[in-house]
Amino acid sequence: MAIKRCPASIDVVEAAKIRIRNVFRNGLPVYMSFSGGKDSLCMSQLVMNLIQMGEINPAQLIVQFIDEEAIFPCMEEKVREWRKKFMLVGAKFEWFCLEVKHYNCFNELSNDETFICWDRYKKDVWVRQPPSFAIRDHPLLRPRIDAYQDFLPRLCTAGITITGIRTAESVQRLQNIAVMLRAGKSMTNKHQVFPIYDWTNNDVWLYLLREKVDIPEIYLFLWQSGTKKGQLRVSQFFSIDTAKSLVKMNEYYPDLMERIIRREPNAYLAALYWDSEMFGRNTTARKQNEKGSAEKDYKAALLELFSDMDGNFRTEHKRYVANRYRNFFMSVSAIADNKDCKAIYEGLISGDPKLRSFRALYQRIYGKYITEAKKKEGLPNG
């Protein structure tokens, strides 16, 4: 199991500055991924401070923003502000509006699991229009085939990429970075460095507060609507992270849901069925809706799903994910209780294209039973 360890002799802000300085000292181009979200704002403020102190060369810096079309208005506004800041200090800013592929959590009812940003065939229903200065195509891009994670590494082979990925955001990131550090590496094989990888959520919000960094108002709206601090994550509308907030955000952006449904008709599912097993939710609203119903036998439900893989999982990727879940379920079925089976079932049917839920379930379920086994044997838990 991956374990996080932080040296006591230095705080995370100073550690991040050292990593950024070291990247720039190579003399190579430095590509910085930017989204306008909280983590990338921390990265940007760190870099901007070092530029203004004369410690790194802005001429090396190329900031890259992948505009996913379906984003909140305040996110676009914030990116425009930072574009201007970076260009004024001499850095380059690339704003891409490309036909890249995204997973669409609302398309679980169809064979198409993707959302094509800036789809040329759907110009009349785009959520918003691209800026006039945006880069609309690139020779290294395979339009409608590549995700931005495929495209950007091809673009950045001449230098090093820095990005605001943090291990606190997901089990997968913690595991990947732990493997990298154990191997004695400071960057990935795609020449990526993660200067704030060890920052906690508290570190992020405290740094933004102390540096007086203006954040997109969507974070304030999410907080006001009851979203917990650890769940304040914003991405394109059709990802599972943001889909849950769409209904609440209609109060703050009155025409938002209308534009979203025009672009993606299945988005109405968020309004109707968000607090249900369709999206794997465990909210108070769902418990109230299901009050009085007999408890479902989730082990039997899983066996039924896995009995017809081709019929229940209609695309190649869905079958790949389902096979991973099936193998995991078979390995823990003798020890898993109904609560565990419910977590496996809901992770599967709510859509898990990047297997994030799968990895978290793997850690939680195996970890629980390893802990119980050690208790029975009288062994220390560690």
Side-chain angles (χ1 to χ4, degrees), residues 343-361:
I344 297 170
Y345 176 84
E346 294 189 341
L348 179 59
I349 69 165
S350 62
D352 190 14
K354 297 182 180 179
L355 292 171
R356 289 176 178 171
S357 298
F358 173 83
R359 280 181 280 267
L361 285 167

Side-chain angles (χ1 to χ4, degrees), residues 105-203:
C105 74
F106 295 127
N107 273 354
E108 282 297 297
L109 296 182
S110 70
N111 289 337
D112 180 13
E113 298 173 88
T114 59
F115 166 77
I116 304 296
C117 298
W118 307 109
D119 190 333
R120 71 188 76 175
Y121 304 113
K122 297 184 178 180
K123 282 186 178 181
D124 57 329
V125 291
W126 280 350
V127 176
R128 36 180 278 277
Q129 293 299 308
S132 58
F133 51 77
I135 300 169
R136 301 299 313 281
D137 197 8
H138 197 280
L140 294 179
L141 174 74
R142 295 177 299 173
R144 310 176 70 82
I145 297 173
D146 286 335
Y148 73 84
Q149 296 93 336
D150 302 313
F151 165 66
L152 285 181
R154 292 191 209 115
L155 197 61
C156 306
T157 54
I160 300 172
T161 297
I162 56 175
T163 185
I165 285 177
R166 296 186 298 116
T167 57
E169 290 282 86
S170 77
V171 172
Q172 177 191 8
R173 291 175 180 177
L174 175 57
Q175 291 174 331
N176 290 344
I177 292 179
V179 169
M180 184 180 78
L181 294 177
R182 281 199 297 270
K185 298 179 180 179
S186 59
M187 69 174 72
T188 71
N189 57 6
K190 294 181 180 179
H191 297 168
Q192 295 171 316
V193 175
F194 312 127
I196 63 170
Y197 80 93
D198 49 357
W199 287 32
T200 65
N201 290 327
N202 286 341
D203 293 329

Side-chain angles (χ1 to χ4, degrees), residues 39-50:
D39 297 338
S40 98
L41 287 175
C42 287
M43 279 285 302
S44 297
Q45 188 64 38
L46 285 163
V47 169
M48 186 62 72
N49 287 347
L50 291 172

